[in-house]
Amino acid sequence: MALLRKSLAKRMLACSVSATMAFSMLTACTSKEGSGNEQTNAKDQGKTAAPAPAQQVTLKVEVFDRGNSPTGMTVTDNLMTKWVQQNFGDKNNIKLEYVPVPRAQEVDKLNVLMASGDAPDIVFTYDSNLVYKYAQQGGLTDLGKLIDEHGANLKSYLGADTLANGKFDNVQYAIPAKRVYLGKYSSMIRQDWLDKLNLPVPKSTEEVYNTLKAFKEKKPGGDQTIPLGFGLFEASYEPIIYSFLKTNISDEERFTLTQRFGSSDQPVTLPGHKDGVRFLNKLYNEGLMSPDFALDKDKKKLNQDVMAGKTGMYAEDAGTSYGIGANLEVLQKNVPGAKLTPIDPYTNDQGKHAKPSYIPAGMFIMVPKSSKHAAEAVKYLNWMAQKENMYMMAFGVEGKNYKLENGIPTTIVSDDTKNLLYNFGDMLIVTNGIDFGDPEKNVAAQVTGLPEEQRKDAAIAKKNGLTDGIPQIRLPRPMQSEVKYTKVLKDKYQELLVKAIIAKPADFDKVYDAALQDYMANGGAEIAKERKELYPQMKK
């Protein structure tokens, strides 16, 4: 009734400003809310009655619940959800309803929602294999035409390369979020150790080995010195292994010999992979790396050793040593005078600092086939991709929540800012990071929230992560074999690494070959076969 009164008020105003209108038209603007004497039958006057207001649509949107909402707020009811409702929902006669999903259980929860037919109108995942599974089951809406009709901002901001990652069998089943920063890894070294031992910064894989030997011999971190911090996770072993991969191979060899489990390409059967693992075996047997690396899958032990001042060099997700409570700050509290320098030392047979890169897509946003509001869903995402809305959701209000420095928004730390933006990354789902249209500006933006004295080195670490990056191969569709074996092969690959790295040097070939054979027998061979069959389609 309130909505009806509001609509009628607007119509009354429209009538009153037209003094020359015929009396019959003026009376058509009055309503049953007025006195009976003022009512006129529009049909009797030969006119059509004004249409009733459109019924409000409820659009359900998934949102990650990380359990970190400020006091008095929830992930479904906070300052940002209210702002979005006022600035998108109310203006489009849409009521936004956010459906919380625990971040740690997102795939399991999404599977239940999709199976029940009661999934929100907008859902998402980081797993492209899961998207393809839903598509095969007929559970997703083809968004191609809807993007053409309602997604001008999306097409402009995301670009064709990002959108293409949401196509499977040439159908746009998902809208990928734009991943702005594509770098993965950067290495760090104790500069104060180098200075103490009068050593240069290593600039090649061979120089790394020589530096690690000096750290072991001279023990600048005391008797517990760990020359190379290392754990059983990608950031530790991939930068080293990639420096040994052969570059003189064809596109077909790279495609067919690459494996994939999880969301990343794996060079398990590429030429040079064995040489990279052999180098790690050498480091381990000479006491140049973390002795208990196989027990450290979550980086906790490596970070503890770095913070305690034991570690001379390590690789990480680019830039993560910087910030409040991160490795650098804690290290310098524990070891006065300690200094970390970002480096990019590993080199391949072309002298390049080869390392894997991310695809230009982050999460995959989907509209279930059961949704009755696919058009509204695309309109919502398109509104979000408009620059002023994106800035508001990412940075808040200029002068209150951020200030501009060289064209880059810099956060104004305050309770107001925290309360507004605490979960902006889970609300602003069309992008992972903000694209300022220039790589230098993008990197500068990524370090603006850091302490000022850390920003320069953090930016170098970020740039190192981008240098000579090898883009991931984009498949025409996820492969059935990879979907089937992804979990077991990740375990088998890490088993291969552990067994081969800790083997006695004389037994390395025997141990490595047996572990690789086991890997291939548990799904690797099936992936290789399907990739070979898929290559002609990929090439086309």
Side-chain angles (χ1 to χ4, degrees):
M1 184 62 73
L3 183 61
L4 181 61
R5 289 194 183 100
K6 183 177 179 182
S7 177
L8 292 170
K10 290 181 178 179
R11 288 158 56 199
M12 288 285 290
L13 179 62
C15 292
S16 66
V17 298
S18 303
T20 59
M21 292 181 66
F23 178 76
S24 60
M25 289 297 292
L26 181 60
T27 56
C29 289
T30 63
S31 82
K32 294 181 181 180
E33 295 295 323
S35 67
N37 293 333
E38 294 172 340
Q39 296 176 17
T40 303
N41 190 311
K43 185 176 181 180
D44 293 343
Q45 297 295 326
K47 303 295 182 181
T48 301
Q55 186 174 1
Q56 189 180 52
V57 167
T58 297
L59 185 68
K60 296 183 179 181
V61 181
E62 179 184 356
V63 63
F64 282 150
D65 188 350
R66 301 177 188 269
N68 62 339
S69 299
T71 302
M73 301 184 197
T74 67
V75 294
T76 62
D77 184 13
N78 54 62
L79 297 177
M80 187 60 74
T81 60
K82 288 180 170 64
W83 183 85
V84 173
Q85 178 62 51
Q86 293 169 0
N87 289 272
F88 171 77
D90 293 352
K91 293 180 180 180
N92 292 278
N93 205 22
I94 293 173
K95 175 177 172 52
L96 290 159
E97 180 180 322
Y98 294 94
V99 180
V101 171
R103 178 66 178 95
Q105 305 166 27
E106 53 120 349
V107 172
D108 293 338
K109 179 69 172 177
L110 183 55
N111 281 332
V112 171
L113 291 169
M114 293 292 288
S116 69
D118 192 34
D121 301 293
I122 294 176
V123 296
F124 42 76
T125 180
Y126 284 95
D127 189 344
S128 62
N129 291 333
L130 190 62
V131 180
Y132 190 58
K133 184 183 84 170
Y134 293 153
Q136 284 186 307
Q137 294 171 347
L140 298 180
T141 301
D142 178 356
L143 301 173
K145 290 184 179 179
L146 291 172
I147 294 173
D148 288 339
E149 293 173 6
H150 308 295
N153 295 329
L154 280 171
K155 293 173 76 171
S156 175
Y157 180 72
L158 298 180
D161 283 348
T162 298
L163 279 171
N165 283 279
K167 284 187 176 182
F168 303 100
D169 296 328
N170 210 33
V171 179
Q172 192 81 49
Y173 284 117
I175 297 173
K178 184 171 188 174
R179 187 186 291 275
V180 174
Y181 179 71
L182 303 184
K184 273 193 170 185
Y185 311 127
S186 180
S187 291
M188 308 292 291
I189 196 165
R190 283 287 295 273
Q191 183 64 50
D192 53 313
W193 286 15
L194 295 178
D195 295 341
K196 181 178 181 180
L197 302 179
N198 197 28
L199 294 173
V201 172
K203 297 181 179 179
S204 69
T205 307
E206 182 180 1
E207 289 182 11
V208 167
Y209 173 71
N210 294 331
T211 301
L212 297 180
K213 286 187 68 176
F215 285 169
K216 181 189 178 185
E217 180 183 347
K218 302 298 183 181
K219 293 183 172 55
D223 290 339
Q224 292 184 313
T225 295
I226 301 172
L228 177 69
F230 193 88
L232 196 57
F233 45 85
E234 291 86 348
S236 271
Y237 53 77
E238 284 192 352
I240 295 174
I241 290 175
Y242 266 72
S243 73
F244 285 88
L245 298 181
K246 306 302 181 186
T247 58
N248 59 338
I249 62 174
S250 66
D251 289 343
E252 182 173 2
E253 286 175 310
R254 183 178 174 227
F255 181 85
T256 56
L257 295 178
T258 297
Q259 299 264 310
R260 183 180 297 174
F261 43 81
S263 59
S264 300
D265 284 346
Q266 303 294 337
V268 191
T269 58
L270 282 172
H273 180 272
K274 186 176 182 179
D275 295 329
V277 181
R278 190 189 302 276
F279 179 72
L280 291 172
N281 172 269
K282 181 179 182 179
L283 298 183
Y284 178 82
N285 279 280
E286 294 185 14
L288 301 180
M289 60 186 281
S290 301
D292 299 323
F293 74 92
L295 303 177
D296 187 16
K297 293 186 177 183
D298 57 8
K299 311 176 187 178
K300 285 185 179 179
K301 184 65 168 64
L302 181 142
N303 288 330
Q304 288 171 359
D305 289 340
V306 170
M307 293 175 181
K310 301 177 183 178
T311 303
M313 180 177 165
Y314 62 99
E316 64 176 5
D317 297 328
T320 52
S321 280
Y322 302 96
I324 305 300
N327 284 346
L328 177 60
E329 182 185 72
V330 180
L331 168 65
Q332 290 180 331
K333 287 180 180 178
N334 292 331
V335 185
K339 182 180 180 182
L340 288 174
T341 293
I343 59 174
D344 195 13
Y346 301 108
T347 48
N348 65 9
D349 56 15
Q350 293 183 337
K352 292 186 176 181
H353 304 282
K355 60 185 77 70
S357 296
Y358 285 111
I359 61 172
M363 66 168 57
F364 296 89
I365 307 167
M366 303 162 284
V367 176
K369 199 65 175 271
S370 59
S371 172
K372 302 291 192 296
H373 307 302
E376 287 83 358
V378 173
K379 289 178 182 178
Y380 173 66
L381 298 172
N382 188 66
W383 169 86
M384 190 179 293
Q386 193 169 332
K387 181 178 179 180
E388 54 264 38
N389 299 328
M390 192 179 300
Y391 268 47
M392 175 62 194
M393 295 184 73
F395 307 115
V397 178
E398 185 178 0
K400 180 179 180 182
N401 307 115
Y402 74 92
K403 57 183 178 180
L404 288 176
E405 294 183 1
N406 299 319
I408 302 298
T410 301
T411 301
I412 297 174
V413 179
S414 68
D415 288 341
D416 286 340
T417 300
K418 178 183 176 182
N419 291 339
L420 176 65
L421 303 176
Y422 83 95
N423 73 329
F424 84 88
D426 294 330
M427 291 283 294
L428 184 57
I429 56 177
V430 297
T431 191
N432 287 51
I434 304 298
D435 187 0
F436 294 95
D438 176 78
E440 290 286 333
K441 285 187 176 181
N442 289 340
V443 167
Q446 290 162 21
V447 303
T448 53
L450 299 174
E452 189 171 356
E453 65 276 10
Q454 296 184 8
R455 293 178 191 174
K456 181 178 179 181
D457 280 352
I460 293 173
K462 288 285 188 179
K463 291 175 183 178
N464 287 344
L466 294 170
T467 302
D468 298 333
I470 298 175
Q472 187 165 301
I473 298 169
R474 190 172 73 222
L475 302 175
R477 57 168 173 78
M479 292 168 42
Q480 297 292 347
S481 55
E482 290 178 350
V483 174
K484 181 178 179 181
Y485 294 112
T486 184
K487 176 63 172 68
V488 67
L489 286 182
K490 182 174 183 178
D491 292 341
K492 287 293 180 183
Y493 182 60
Q494 292 192 337
E495 185 179 317
L496 178 154
L497 290 175
V498 173
K499 287 182 175 179
I501 291 172
I502 68 174
K504 294 180 180 178
D507 296 333
F508 174 81
D509 286 303
K510 179 177 63 176
V511 173
Y512 180 95
D513 293 346
L516 180 60
Q517 185 177 3
D518 185 44
Y519 171 93
M520 297 301 287
N522 281 277
E526 196 168 325
I527 287 178
K529 181 176 181 291
E530 188 175 354
R531 275 184 170 263
K532 190 171 183 178
E533 294 170 349
L534 190 61
Y535 179 72
Q537 183 180 345
M538 192 283 296
K539 187 176 181 181
K540 184 190 299 183

